[in-house]
Amino acid sequence: MKVNVSFDQSDFNKADLKVVAAYTNKNADGIQHTLSSKEIMDEMKALKISKNFIAKEGTQLLFNLSDGSSVLAIGMGKKTTAKAEQIRRSIANAYKAIKGELYNSVAFDMASFNAVNKLDITTALTKEALILTAYDFNKYQAKQNKNSFKAITLFVNDKKVKRSLEKKLVEVQNLAESVCYTRDLVNEAPNILHSEEYAKRIEKDVKANLKGVKVKIMGKPELKKENMNLFLSVNAGSNYGPRLVHLTYTPKKVTKNTKHIAMVGKGLTFDTGGYSLKPGASMMGMKFDMGGSATVYGAFRAAVLNNSPYKITLILGMTDNAVNEKATMPDSVVKGRNGTTVEILNTDAEGRLVLADCLDYACDQGPDYIIDAATLTGACLVALGSEVCAVLGNDQKWIDSIKKSAKDQDEYMWQLPIIDEWRGQMKSHIADLRNIGTKKFAGTATAAAFLENFIKNDVKWAHLDIAGVCDSQSHLPYCPEKGGSGLIVRTLANLLS
Ligand code: BES
Ligand code: MN
Ligand code: ZN
């Protein structure tokens, strides 16, 4: 589906379906909705049902005009309180209401949705919401859902915004398509997207779409040379080689003030738990355990396409966590890249082992800031549900800027603390660290207390646990009902812009 923008009123007038926003602001006749188009409003008033339509958020009214075309009025609530997220959600609901219908042409009246009072932003948000909502992962289904219409027109009644809008539309398309790219990766089956294939796919996408980005891919021999034994210990039982994908983006203009940000992602293409095997029901869905890497890649992709001013290093640690006779046994002691020894008491706490070596490697690339993303702990779901992303780290200013970026993008993020008692829980009797805490609580924070040991050179570090938000649980109308949500890509891409 294409999303076109038109400044020509006749493109709106001739559309089979006109989508307009309606607000609860009362007007003179006591009718509890207001539309910006007087012509449509007049015809709407003549309808008997019109008196009953209170344009609260979440309501919709479909009716016909005398010229034979149709109108879908989308309830938005009070005009004064509408926010960006409300536009995203309303547009998503509008799209869902019409997607299976037979209209030849559909046009949205952007002025009517312009509750944030910035017509260019409203139009860009609409395009973003349409791309995010139209997403479908159906490549393995014989019968594919087809949209009846090929394009949607966004009618903008003010040519003054044309220049600023053009730039915003390109940026939002890069962003939304990158969110969908992340979803595609997360949704792929683990027998297809194993570590070797995953690395190839990223390399192919970089070569095709991200001009100027340097690619380095490391396999088992290179990881051995780098002493990344914690990472390798997770891969020990696997049929597929481990992959460390290292991408570097350098902006066109670099000065001594150019900040260097490294992002690190957990890329477990499947997590059986290893010898500490997960029960069947908990193992289901563990293809999404590469979601952290897919999320930071999506953000990197959008940032590069939108010419980020930062130098960005991306490190993706890819393997599955499988079991065979070579798999790592619980009680093993393994020395990581930074020389720290770890007693691996539970092979299901594998993500932190991969991240540990990747974080140490990332620090050596000389970044000012590091952010990692991982589907790291089930405890994160217990604490924050499937709606809120956890953030922890060693630098409050860095964490605050990430939280602000999440807020700007209407994505939920909440900070959890790392306290000395939890740091203490990660000390081992026979090695420097153990890979699980001594108590069953605070699992998200003890995991972060473990990771903290692999940050060096005073790099400012933040960790995102996306175990809850990565898999869509249908609380957002612009996310798929099931499967990869693509959440947090927007927060990170915004951070890098
Ligand atoms: N990938 C899982 C985390 C996870 C579990 C995400 C459930 C989403 C839903 C991770 O590798 C894991 O297994 N973590 C363990 C850690 C424990 C052994 C300390 C967990 O959360 O149970
Ligand atoms: Mn695990
Ligand atoms: Zn895992």
Side-chain angles (χ1 to χ4, degrees):
M1 180 199 62
K2 275 191 72 176
V3 181
N4 304 317
V5 171
S6 167
F7 293 89
D8 188 347
Q9 175 84 47
S10 70
D11 282 336
F12 182 72
N13 293 350
K14 69 181 184 219
D16 280 5
L17 176 71
K18 302 164 173 66
V19 182
V20 299
Y23 298 86
T24 52
N25 304 41
K26 273 197 185 142
N27 59 40
D29 316 312
I31 291 177
Q32 305 210 43
H33 50 257
T34 302
L35 303 182
S36 50
S37 155
K38 193 179 170 305
E39 292 83 10
I40 296 178
M41 186 76 192
D42 284 346
E43 288 211 38
M44 193 171 168
K45 264 192 228 165
L47 300 173
K48 292 206 165 115
I49 199 172
S50 168
K51 295 258 184 310
N52 301 338
F53 179 58
I54 304 170
K56 278 195 194 140
E57 208 184 332
T59 59
Q60 297 183 343
L61 184 66
L62 181 67
F63 58 94
N64 294 327
L65 296 179
S66 48
D67 69 358
S69 70
S70 305
V71 171
L72 178 65
I74 305 290
M76 296 278 285
K78 266 202 187 143
K79 183 138 194 175
T80 48
T81 56
K83 295 262 161 48
E85 179 66 0
Q86 200 171 326
I87 295 175
R88 276 192 205 96
R89 293 186 190 199
S90 304
I91 296 292
N93 287 328
Y95 178 80
K96 286 182 171 176
I98 60 179
K99 73 170 179 186
E101 306 298 328
L102 298 171
Y103 304 104
N104 288 315
S105 52
V106 179
F108 284 58
D109 177 22
M110 284 297 97
S112 74
F113 283 95
N114 186 22
V116 288
N117 266 329
K118 297 224 167 63
L119 196 52
D120 51 351
I121 292 179
T122 298
T123 307
L125 279 171
T126 299
K127 180 160 187 177
E128 175 182 302
L130 286 171
I131 297 172
L132 294 182
T133 313
Y135 175 83
D136 201 0
F137 189 79
N138 57 12
K139 64 192 265 196
Y140 296 120
Q141 286 168 337
K143 216 179 105 204
Q144 310 216 332
N145 299 327
K146 289 245 157 63
N147 290 319
S148 49
F149 42 88
K150 291 189 180 63
I152 286 179
T153 299
L154 307 184
F155 166 57
V156 178
N157 70 348
D158 184 356
K159 284 206 177 84
K160 280 205 293 292
V161 300
K162 196 166 180 180
R163 282 213 34 214
S164 65
L165 181 56
E166 262 164 19
K167 184 162 178 270
K168 284 199 169 61
L169 288 172
V170 171
E171 288 175 355
V172 97
Q173 175 153 357
N174 288 335
L175 175 62
E177 285 178 358
S178 295
V179 171
C180 293
Y181 196 86
T182 293
R183 290 173 175 173
D184 272 345
L185 292 173
V186 172
N187 288 333
E188 264 300 356
N191 55 323
I192 292 162
L193 197 81
H194 49 75
S195 46
E196 296 167 14
E197 170 63 19
Y198 190 8
K200 271 191 211 150
R201 239 187 240 198
I202 297 287
E203 183 176 26
K204 206 171 148 200
D205 186 53
V206 170
K207 294 263 152 77
N209 297 312
L210 308 182
K211 298 270 146 11
V213 167
K214 253 177 54 192
V215 186
K216 180 176 173 187
I217 298 182
M218 289 154 69
K220 202 181 259 180
E222 291 86 359
L223 297 187
K224 275 191 183 153
K225 231 189 243 158
E226 288 280 342
N227 295 317
M228 296 177 100
N229 300 313
L230 291 170
F231 186 162
L232 288 164
S233 77
V234 177
N235 179 254
S238 174
N239 187 31
Y240 306 105
R243 291 289 183 270
L244 186 150
V245 174
H246 176 175
L247 307 180
T248 316
Y249 161 79
T250 311
K252 285 193 191 81
K253 271 193 224 134
V254 183
T255 70
K256 63 179 192 320
N257 296 326
T258 300
K259 291 280 181 243
H260 178 186
I261 301 176
M263 296 198 292
V264 177
K266 171 177 174 181
L268 264 286
T269 56
F270 197 78
D271 181 10
T272 68
Y275 271 114
S276 312
L277 196 65
K278 286 183 186 294
S282 319
M283 204 187 291
M284 239 189 319
M286 278 301 143
K287 69 173 183 181
F288 97 128
D289 214 17
M290 34 61 73
S293 56
T295 301
V296 291
Y297 181 68
F300 177 84
R301 193 180 187 277
V304 173
L305 290 172
N306 289 336
N307 302 310
S308 167
Y310 300 107
K311 178 173 181 187
I312 313 171
T313 291
L314 194 76
I315 309 292
L316 312 174
M318 302 169 177
T319 177
D320 51 339
N321 183 21
V323 221
N324 65 13
E325 71 280 9
K326 290 184 185 150
T328 300
M329 287 172 291
D331 288 352
S332 296
V333 173
V334 176
K335 191 190 264 186
R337 185 178 185 274
N338 77 347
T340 303
T341 53
V342 178
E343 184 186 10
I344 300 174
L345 289 165
N346 189 321
T347 61
D348 197 12
E350 86 298 339
R352 62 196 74 184
L353 303 175
V354 172
L355 286 177
D357 281 342
C358 288
L359 285 169
D360 183 63
Y361 177 88
C363 285
D364 279 336
Q365 311 309 313
D368 302 290
Y369 301 94
I370 289 193
I371 185 159
D372 76 72
T375 51
L376 205 61
T377 63
C380 189
L381 274 146
V382 177
L384 298 172
S386 53
E387 293 86 359
V388 181
C389 172
V391 59
L392 308 95
N394 66 5
D395 184 86
Q396 196 55 43
K397 277 202 192 130
W398 178 224
I399 292 172
D400 286 343
S401 59
I402 296 164
K403 276 164 55 183
K404 180 177 179 298
S405 182
K407 195 150 201 246
D408 287 348
Q409 286 294 326
D410 301 297
E411 295 192 313
Y412 299 119
M413 191 173 284
W414 197 260
Q415 186 179 355
L416 299 176
I418 307 177
I419 60 172
D420 281 342
E421 285 81 344
W422 296 335
R423 291 185 178 104
Q425 273 198 45
M426 303 312 287
K427 300 261 183 295
S428 159
H429 289 291
I430 70 155
D432 298 322
L433 295 172
R434 39 189 281 149
N435 78 328
I436 53 168
T438 51
K439 299 185 183 148
K440 64 176 179 184
F441 300 122
T444 303
T446 51
F450 177 88
L451 294 178
E452 193 187 47
N453 292 285
F454 299 88
I455 305 296
K456 63 186 176 194
N457 310 340
D458 292 324
V459 180
K460 298 169 175 68
W461 160 72
H463 158 64
L464 300 180
D465 197 329
I466 61 164
V469 297
C470 180
D471 204 14
S472 199
Q473 301 293 333
S474 65
H475 69 290
L476 293 170
Y478 52 81
C479 285
E481 273 181 39
K482 288 214 166 5
S485 68
L487 289 174
I488 306 302
V489 172
R490 287 188 353 249
T491 292
L492 294 177
N494 183 42
L495 187 73
L496 296 170
S497 70

